[in-house]
Amino acid sequence: MTADSGASDRLTAGDPLEQYDYGSHWVSEQISRGALGIQHPLLVSVLKFGLVWNLLAAAYLAVADTTFSPGYLVASGLGLLWVNIAPYLIWYYDERVLPSFFERLGEILPEEASVDELAEKYTTMFAEPQPLVAAFWTVGTVAIVFAGTDVLRAQGMVGTGSVFIWTTYAYALFIGLVLSHGFMGPVLTLRLIGEVAEADLQIDPLHPDNLGGLSTVGYCAIRTTLLYSTASLFLPLLFRFSAASASGIVIFAFATVYVCTILGTFLYPTLRVSLRAHTLRDTALERIRREYRQVEAEMQTPDRDELSELNRRLELQRLQTKYQNFNSVSLYPLQTSILARLAGSVFLPLLFIFVEFYVPKLI
């Protein structure tokens, strides 16, 4: 598709989100094409990307000659659940989170050319393959499977079931090579909002979000954080594998770092935009103060008449109201709904840590 044809398509598209969609990752494209006449993206994700692993898991349960540990089955099931939904989450970030952010960005960045430029840059960036990211996560997932080989053998991957060790390695490769692209979401969001923070933001003190229009930043950050936090579904399985070769404190430290990165994915971009907005507001308030003092000085001139006096008093009242509106608006993009979602994204990994480390002691 050429740039001109792409622009034409966006202008005539029925969905306003398509205006800022300059490209799609190949996983998103596969989800959008549907499967077997099904168009629902979540179901397509399961059919196209999860079905093979679901069938292999069923075969493993049927063939392996062992009594499975309930904890291992639950941990494996949670990990498999994430593998089924992860392609959908990539599609959702690519086709919903980013375009909707750019659609609302015009409220605080009114120059359409700037919004369009950012949209083209970052949607294209997400659509491109990321070999270094894939290589990093592929090495990591394969290494985790290697470290957990004893656990896999204890769960029936011996004898006729030993073939499933190799399918588990294939499973790790799939996660590293394909699903790891989802972790580009937080990186891209941090870079995107960081660049937005450097722009000449327009704070609207009368915006219905009561945040000067900055809620669009908060919603983009929290949606990215929620998507990123779903990877905690793999924590229980990681605990099982790591317990065979590392102490509990190492596992706890890893999980703590992960929770901190979840918080950082939300807090860093929102704090950066908030600081920038405060700077811009201080500049605006100083400008209003200068205008106010100038009108006051004009009222002291000896050649004033009643009409000009009235006009100046009205101007003073207008400037005072404008100053109060700017000064009272909250510039941290945090609403109750956003706060609840942030708590939920942090709660999930903390729940797994609690179950892994404390529930057995209580029992």
Side-chain angles (χ1 to χ4, degrees):
M1 177 183 293
T2 64
D4 291 340
S5 65
S8 176
D9 290 343
R10 288 189 298 277
L11 291 174
T12 58
D15 186 351
L17 296 184
E18 293 184 14
Q19 178 182 356
Y20 298 109
D21 190 1
Y22 282 87
S24 298
H25 188 260
W26 70 269
V27 170
S28 303
E29 291 177 348
Q30 288 297 319
I31 297 291
S32 298
R33 289 173 185 170
L36 303 177
I38 298 173
Q39 294 298 324
H40 192 285
L42 182 56
L43 295 179
V44 175
S45 175
V46 174
L47 288 173
K48 280 193 170 182
F49 294 91
L51 183 59
V52 170
W53 310 113
N54 296 336
L55 293 175
L56 284 172
Y60 162 58
L61 293 175
V63 171
D65 185 18
T66 188
T67 301
F68 297 104
S69 164
Y72 172 78
L73 287 179
V74 171
S76 300
L78 289 172
L80 184 61
L81 171 62
W82 185 81
V83 168
N84 277 268
I85 67 173
Y88 165 75
L89 300 180
I90 292 174
W91 172 88
Y92 187 80
Y93 181 84
D94 193 4
E95 303 296 329
R96 293 294 180 266
V97 175
L98 283 180
S100 63
F101 173 69
F102 292 120
E103 182 189 19
R104 296 181 60 186
L105 186 58
E107 297 176 358
I108 58 174
L109 195 64
E111 294 183 13
E112 186 175 344
S114 298
V115 176
D116 210 52
E117 182 180 343
L118 286 171
E120 182 176 10
K121 176 180 178 180
Y122 285 98
T123 56
T124 301
M125 185 184 300
F126 190 77
E128 294 172 347
Q130 301 293 333
L132 292 179
V133 174
F136 173 81
W137 284 104
T138 299
V139 171
T141 52
V142 170
I144 290 171
V145 173
F146 179 78
T149 300
D150 290 341
V151 175
L152 297 175
R153 287 174 177 161
Q155 296 298 321
M157 294 189 186
V158 292
T160 57
S162 61
V163 65
F164 292 106
I165 289 183
W166 298 109
T167 62
T168 303
Y169 275 110
Y171 186 56
L173 288 171
F174 173 75
I175 294 171
L177 293 173
V178 178
L179 302 186
S180 64
H181 190 79
F183 293 104
M184 276 298 298
V187 176
L188 190 141
T189 295
L190 292 175
R191 293 182 59 180
L192 168 58
I193 295 180
E195 187 166 344
V196 169
E198 297 301 318
D200 187 17
L201 303 179
Q202 301 297 309
I203 302 167
D204 180 6
L206 302 181
H207 194 281
D209 66 1
N210 296 318
L211 299 171
L214 296 182
S215 62
T216 182
V217 173
Y219 277 113
C220 179
I222 195 58
R223 293 168 88 182
T224 304
T225 301
L226 285 169
L227 297 178
Y228 175 57
S229 69
T230 60
S232 60
L233 290 171
F234 254 109
L235 282 179
L237 189 60
L238 178 63
F239 291 152
R240 297 277 164 179
F241 284 174
S242 300
S245 58
S247 63
I249 190 64
V250 174
I251 305 170
F252 184 81
F254 175 85
T256 301
V257 170
Y258 176 63
V259 172
C260 289
T261 59
I262 291 175
L263 285 170
T265 302
F266 175 79
L267 294 177
Y268 173 77
T270 52
L271 281 172
R272 187 168 180 182
V273 167
S274 178
L275 291 173
R276 173 64 172 167
H278 275 86
T279 300
L280 293 172
R281 179 172 66 179
D282 289 344
T283 301
L285 291 176
E286 179 59 31
R287 183 173 62 251
I288 296 172
R289 280 194 293 266
R290 287 198 302 268
E291 292 177 11
Y292 191 93
R293 287 194 292 265
Q294 181 179 350
V295 175
E296 279 188 320
E298 291 173 355
M299 293 180 66
Q300 305 304 319
T301 57
D303 58 342
R304 62 185 186 274
D305 54 47
E306 289 188 10
L307 181 59
S308 62
E309 182 82 4
L310 177 61
N311 288 336
R312 286 176 178 132
R313 289 189 181 278
L314 290 174
E315 178 65 9
L316 287 178
Q317 185 177 4
R318 184 190 71 81
L319 289 172
Q320 188 174 24
T321 301
K322 185 177 180 180
Y323 185 95
Q324 291 172 345
N325 288 338
F326 266 95
N327 195 43
S328 61
V329 67
S330 174
L331 295 181
Y332 188 76
L334 188 63
Q335 295 174 317
T336 302
S337 58
I338 295 176
L339 185 60
R341 296 179 190 183
L342 178 62
S345 66
V346 174
F347 174 76
L348 186 59
L350 290 179
L351 174 64
F352 289 135
I353 295 173
F354 175 79
V355 170
E356 182 67 23
F357 286 98
Y358 296 105
V359 170
K361 296 179 181 179
L362 296 175
I363 297 177

